[in-house]
């Protein structure tokens, strides 16, 4: 079997190069981040990288010609009869979670095996797990066949993770760095209590197929994740992943939150991450730790924005979870703007999503009693909110980013503000890590696998065994005379390398903070304390003092006021269609009083496709800003930050561009899945 590598001509520039990093490279310093932005030699989508002939497993199956390009694996059946119209002959890399090499347990079999794990979309749009196993048997010895199978697995893994391929054709497993280490925080109460089940059935198998190493913790109480991230040795982790809804990424501590009547205790005692990172003594470096979200809750706004950034069609439920998991396996990241929110008491918290007052916050909080309905609670809450529509009087001021029209132009993007973030923070003191509680890792786990069938293949799919050695093919794969296959790792761990479970001690006892963190466990009812971490709010004068003359102020009666950072307000609600994760802007939307219930309903229905600004509603306003102040003049109301109720009263906020880092996967092309 002959394989060949064709290198694409190097180009001097790569248009619209984004600041991202792969699982194999994590920029830590200003110099590293500059290098990450350097032009890279692109390959055209159709550039053939590898080509060769493979058999199939079982051995009596057909033979195939495989061609690997930067965007797809092309499969053509050669024997017994070439297909005029190949079925399943194009495997897009956007649908691939990972691959592995395997060997036969029969000592007489000199072939090596190359397995690709995919999640193609079905006719009805949903994803379904499938696997294709190919037999490298062109050489006389197992060592030669193994080298060929590993060459293909290495090249495919490099493409999936954004790692460069050499131009000399020498593709060996040495190109691959160590497996990325992820800390997964699972809220078992998310998704109507299905988060843990979804994690076992979908997330863990996929990240195992991708070759990612992980520790997993089921959070037990409010602020559990905040305690963990405040005490972690972050140098041991390549990313912190929350498996829940949006709430787990947000952390303001119990003094900031108010009890929600009728709310589910587990849902409102979730643990959160971002504010925990910003409350560390080394927050300048800690907040750069990449964070990701795998949606298993009822509010999945950030996941919806990540899904759109990845070029996937809008999705809900398990389909959205699978899309975001596929993007996580690719490992790309993006700078994330954060919003510093100062409340009336002087306390400060950081938001990645939104600040809401009026109709949106009313629906969010009042629908808590319907949490058992999942995302449908928002639909029911909207209907009830329309039936009892309220208006609120207030004063709303903002610092415009640039001169803006009254509403965004659908054909043009929003202007971008320059980042004020310093890329070279001062050295931070070391922080010891605290115990991980109720943690599991990529040690053996009994994970149930559904009985699926690959397209065009009669045999069942591999059964995962999370033993650190990759997926394993069960013995009933082959027919008579076909020996079962076992994992053949591309890169064995060097001697002395600790397993993921050994990166941090595991404790079954009561939770406790590391003594060296200097932060005692929070006490319910403790007085509100201003956050000591995070950058200063240089654009904001103190609450209660006059605003600078370049601010815009309006006063009147409002149905709602919404300040949002990403594009999505929910997985299926595109509130700011032109927003980007790092545009340095907070997108302000408001609806004045006088709008009819029917017109308000039309706005929210149009928001599902992000075209509500094109309706020409005279009551709808929009502005792009760098900071804002909201002063409610109605004595009663609900204010929310990232969907969590906060103290009612005046508040103000400003954007800190690129303060965080979000795991998004590589950017996708619009309409790629069409």
């Amino acid at each position: 079997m002959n394989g060949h590598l064709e290198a694409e001509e190097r180009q001097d520039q790569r248009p619209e190069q984004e600041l991202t990093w792969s699982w194999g490279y994590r920029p830590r310093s200003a110099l590293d981040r500059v290098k990450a932005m350097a032009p890279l030699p692109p390959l055209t989508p159709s550039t053939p990288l590898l080509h060769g002939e493979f058999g199939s497993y079982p051995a009596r199956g057909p033979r195939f010609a495989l061609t690997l390009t930067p965007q797809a694996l092309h499969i053509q059946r050669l024997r017994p009869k070439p297909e005029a119209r190949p079925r399943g002959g194009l495997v897009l890399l956007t649908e691939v979670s990972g691959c592995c090499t395997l060997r036969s347990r029969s000592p007489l079999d000199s072939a090596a095996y190359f397995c690709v794990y995919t999640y193609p979309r079905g006719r009805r749009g949903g994803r379904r797990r499938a696997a294709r196993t190919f037999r490298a048997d062109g050489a006389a010895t197992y060592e030669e066949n193994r080298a060929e199978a590993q060459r293909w697995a290495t090249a495919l893994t490099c493409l999936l993770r954004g790692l460069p391929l050499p131009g000399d054709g020498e593709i060996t497993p040495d190109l691959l760095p160590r497996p990325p280490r992820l800390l997964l925080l699972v809220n078992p109460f998310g998704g109507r209590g299905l988060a843990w089940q979804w994690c076992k059935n979908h997330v863990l198998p996929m990240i195992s197929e991708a070759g990612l190493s992980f520790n997993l913790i089921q959070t037990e109480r409010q602020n559990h994740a905040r305690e963990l991230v405040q005490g972690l040795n972050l140098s041991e982790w390549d990313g912190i992943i929350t498996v829940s809804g949006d709430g787990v990424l947000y952390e303001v501590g119990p003094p900031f939150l108010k009890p929600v009547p009728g709310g589910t205790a587990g849902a409102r005692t979730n643990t959160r991450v971002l504010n925990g990172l910003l409350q560390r003594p080394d927050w300048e470096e800690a907040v750069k730790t990449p964070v990701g979200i795998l949606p298993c809750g009822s509010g999945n706004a950030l996941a919806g924005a990540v899904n759109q950034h990845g070029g996937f069609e809008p999705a809900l439920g398990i389909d959205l979870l699978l899309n975001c998991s596929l993007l996580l396996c690719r490992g790309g990241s993006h700078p994330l703007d954060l919003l510093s929110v100062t409340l009336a008491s002087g306390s400060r918290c950081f938001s990645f999503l939104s600040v809401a007052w009026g109709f949106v916050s009313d629906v969010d909080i009042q629908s808590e009693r319907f949490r058992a309905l999942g995302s449908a609670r928002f639909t029911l809450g909207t209907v009830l909110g329309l039936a009892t529509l309220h208006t609120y009087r207030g004063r709303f001021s903002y610092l415009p980013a640039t001169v803006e029209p009254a509403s965004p132009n659908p054909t043009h993007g929003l202007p971008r503000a320059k980042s004020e973030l310093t890329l070279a923070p001062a050295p931070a003191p070391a922080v010891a890590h605290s115990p991980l509680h109720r943690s599991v890792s990529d040690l053996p786990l009994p994970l149930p696998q559904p009985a699926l069938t690959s397209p065009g293949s009669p045999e069942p799919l591999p059964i995962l065994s999370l033993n650190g050695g990759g997926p394993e093919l069960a013995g009933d794969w082959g027919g008579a005379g076909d020996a079962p296959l076992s994992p053949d790792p591309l890169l064995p761990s060097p001697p002395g390398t600790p397993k993921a479970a050994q990166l941090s001690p595991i404790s079954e006892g009561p939770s406790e903070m590391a003594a060296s963190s200097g932060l005692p466990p929070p006490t319910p009812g403790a007085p509100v304390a201003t956050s000591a971490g995070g950058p200063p709010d240089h654009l904001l004068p103190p609450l209660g003092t006059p605003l600078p003359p370049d601010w815009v102020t309006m006063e009147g009666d409002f149905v709602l006021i919404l300040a949002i950072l990403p594009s999505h307000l929910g997985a299926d609600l595109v509130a700011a269609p032109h927003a980007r994760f790092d545009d340095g802007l907070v997108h302000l939307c408001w609806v004045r009083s006088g709008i009819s219930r029917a017109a308000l309903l039309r706005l929210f229905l149009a928001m599902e496709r992000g075209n509500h600004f094109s309706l020409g509603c005279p009551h709808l306003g929009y502005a792009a800003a760098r900071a804002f102040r909201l002063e409610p003049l109605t004595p009663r109301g609900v204010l929310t930050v990232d969907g969590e109720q906060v103290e009612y009263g005046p508040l103000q906020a400003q954007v800190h561009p690129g303060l965080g880092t979000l795991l998004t996967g590589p950017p996708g092309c619009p309409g790629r899945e069409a």
Side-chain angles (χ1 to χ4, degrees):
M1 176 174 52
N2 297 323
H4 68 273
L5 173 71
E6 295 184 13
E8 177 72 2
E9 294 182 358
R10 295 178 177 270
Q11 298 182 6
D12 295 333
Q13 295 182 352
R14 182 177 182 178
E16 299 181 3
Q17 174 70 24
E18 293 191 343
L19 178 57
T20 59
W21 57 273
S22 71
W23 277 132
Y25 175 67
R26 177 180 178 182
R28 283 285 190 175
S29 65
L31 180 60
D32 291 335
R33 295 177 73 88
V34 170
K35 289 180 179 179
M37 298 179 67
L40 299 176
L43 297 171
T44 63
S46 59
T47 302
L49 302 174
L50 291 176
H51 180 79
E53 182 179 330
F54 286 82
S56 60
Y57 181 79
R60 63 181 181 277
R63 298 192 66 82
F64 301 95
L66 303 185
T67 302
L68 181 63
T69 70
Q71 289 195 350
L73 176 66
H74 301 260
I75 305 172
Q76 181 183 7
R77 191 174 73 179
L78 299 177
R79 288 178 290 193
K81 181 179 180 181
E83 293 176 308
R85 295 183 178 180
R87 293 177 297 174
L90 179 66
V91 178
L92 297 176
L93 299 193
T94 56
E95 299 176 341
V96 176
S97 61
C99 61
C100 69
T101 57
L102 306 109
R103 66 175 303 174
S104 173
R105 293 178 183 171
S106 170
L108 302 179
D109 190 353
S110 62
Y113 296 85
F114 167 52
C115 184
V116 182
Y117 299 95
T118 66
Y119 289 79
R121 296 179 64 191
R123 294 181 179 179
R124 297 183 179 180
R127 296 195 182 277
R128 194 180 187 192
R129 182 180 179 276
R132 301 292 295 267
T133 302
F134 304 97
R135 175 185 172 101
D137 54 4
T141 65
Y142 169 73
E143 287 72 19
E144 293 177 287
N145 290 325
R146 179 175 184 261
E148 182 65 13
Q150 288 191 340
R151 192 162 74 103
W152 279 77
T154 300
L156 180 55
T157 302
C158 287
L159 292 177
L160 293 176
R161 297 185 183 176
L163 300 173
L165 288 172
D168 56 5
E170 292 296 326
I171 301 177
T172 64
D174 295 336
L175 296 174
L176 300 178
R178 63 161 175 77
R181 303 180 182 122
L182 302 180
L183 177 60
L184 272 64
L185 304 178
V186 181
N187 169 26
F189 302 101
R192 293 172 292 172
L194 296 176
W196 172 236
Q197 197 67 29
W198 286 9
C199 183
K200 285 195 304 180
N201 292 346
H202 303 287
V203 175
L204 298 187
M206 189 181 294
I207 64 176
S208 177
E209 295 161 358
L212 308 181
S213 180
F214 67 91
N215 265 63
L216 182 147
I217 303 172
Q218 289 192 60
T219 58
E220 300 171 339
R221 64 190 182 281
Q222 189 169 359
N223 294 319
H224 191 182
R226 180 174 68 90
E227 297 168 9
L228 289 169
V229 300
Q230 283 183 323
L232 283 176
N233 182 353
L234 295 175
S235 64
E236 295 178 348
W237 305 98
D238 296 299
I240 300 176
I241 313 300
T242 61
V243 186
S244 183
D246 292 312
V248 77
L249 275 182
Y250 168 73
E251 167 57 51
V252 293
F256 292 23
L257 297 178
K258 293 186 176 181
V260 180
T264 303
R268 283 305 176 191
T269 55
N270 288 346
T271 52
R272 290 91 176 183
V273 170
L274 280 174
N275 279 267
L277 294 174
L278 284 160
Q279 290 171 357
R280 291 171 56 113
D282 61 340
W283 65 266
E284 296 98 333
E285 186 68 17
V287 75
K288 290 302 178 185
T289 301
V291 297
I293 186 166
L294 296 179
C296 289
S298 53
N300 299 314
L302 188 61
V306 170
N307 182 74
Q308 176 178 280
H309 178 271
F312 291 133
E313 294 292 326
L316 297 172
I318 290 181
D319 290 334
L320 179 62
L321 175 63
L322 293 178
N323 287 355
C324 291
S325 299
L326 282 171
L327 292 171
L328 174 66
C329 292
R330 304 292 295 274
S333 73
H334 206 284
L336 178 66
D337 296 340
L338 296 181
L339 192 67
S340 170
V341 184
T342 303
L343 305 177
S345 62
S347 56
R348 189 170 75 141
C349 59
F350 285 84
S351 160
F352 66 88
L353 182 58
S354 66
V355 175
W357 180 49
F359 184 81
V360 172
S361 57
D362 291 347
V363 169
D364 201 355
I365 298 305
Q366 293 175 8
S367 65
E368 279 294 325
R369 50 184 169 167
F370 311 121
R371 181 170 283 274
L373 300 178
S375 59
R377 72 182 177 99
F378 297 113
T379 303
L380 180 56
T382 300
V383 173
L384 295 178
L386 288 171
T388 59
L389 190 61
H390 298 285
T391 60
Y392 300 88
R393 187 162 189 83
R395 186 180 300 113
F396 190 42
S397 308
Y398 61 91
L399 174 62
T402 56
V403 178
E404 289 292 329
S407 61
N409 189 332
T411 60
H412 299 285
L414 297 178
R416 302 184 59 192
K418 293 183 178 179
S419 173
E420 295 135 0
L421 179 66
T422 301
L423 295 181
V431 178
H433 54 267
S434 62
L436 302 184
H437 310 283
R438 293 184 62 184
S439 169
V440 297
S441 67
D442 43 0
L443 296 175
L445 287 177
L447 299 180
Q449 289 294 313
L452 304 180
T453 303
S454 302
S457 176
E459 57 266 17
L461 294 177
I463 297 177
L464 287 179
S465 174
L466 295 185
N467 55 8
E472 182 175 353
L473 294 180
D476 59 354
W477 253 64
D482 288 306
L485 307 179
S486 60
D488 185 12
L490 289 179
L491 278 178
S493 300
T497 301
K499 289 185 177 293
Q502 298 172 331
L503 293 175
S504 300
I506 300 175
S507 171
E508 295 292 341
S511 301
E512 58 183 353
M513 283 292 296
S516 59
S517 68
L519 295 173
T523 303
V528 176
T530 302
S531 175
D537 296 328
H538 64 283
L539 298 177
L540 299 176
L543 268 174
T545 62
L547 292 169
D550 53 346
W551 284 57
V552 176
T553 299
M554 50 187 168
E555 182 175 330
D557 294 328
F558 298 90
V559 172
L560 67 88
I561 291 179
L562 174 67
I564 189 167
L565 288 175
S567 56
H568 285 56
L569 182 60
D572 55 350
L573 289 177
V574 188
H578 300 277
R580 294 176 53 180
F581 296 122
D582 65 339
D583 56 14
L585 303 173
V586 55
H587 302 270
L588 307 177
C589 307
W590 61 87
V591 176
R592 292 185 178 272
S593 63
I595 189 172
S596 66
R597 290 177 173 84
L600 185 60
L601 179 59
R602 282 195 296 270
L603 283 179
F604 278 92
L605 292 176
M607 198 179 292
E608 294 182 358
R609 295 185 175 273
N611 58 5
H612 46 292
F613 291 111
S614 64
L615 297 181
C617 176
H619 300 90
L620 175 64
Y622 169 85
R626 301 170 64 195
F628 69 90
R629 175 183 288 182
L630 174 59
E631 301 170 272
L633 302 179
T634 300
R636 293 184 179 180
V638 175
L639 283 169
T640 57
V641 177
D642 290 1
E644 303 280 1
Q645 186 174 357
V646 297
E647 60 181 277
Y648 188 70
L651 63 77
Q652 60 185 15
Q654 84 161 66
V655 180
H656 291 278
L659 183 58
T661 302
L662 179 67
L663 290 169
T664 60
C669 301
R672 181 177 58 192
E673 289 198 329

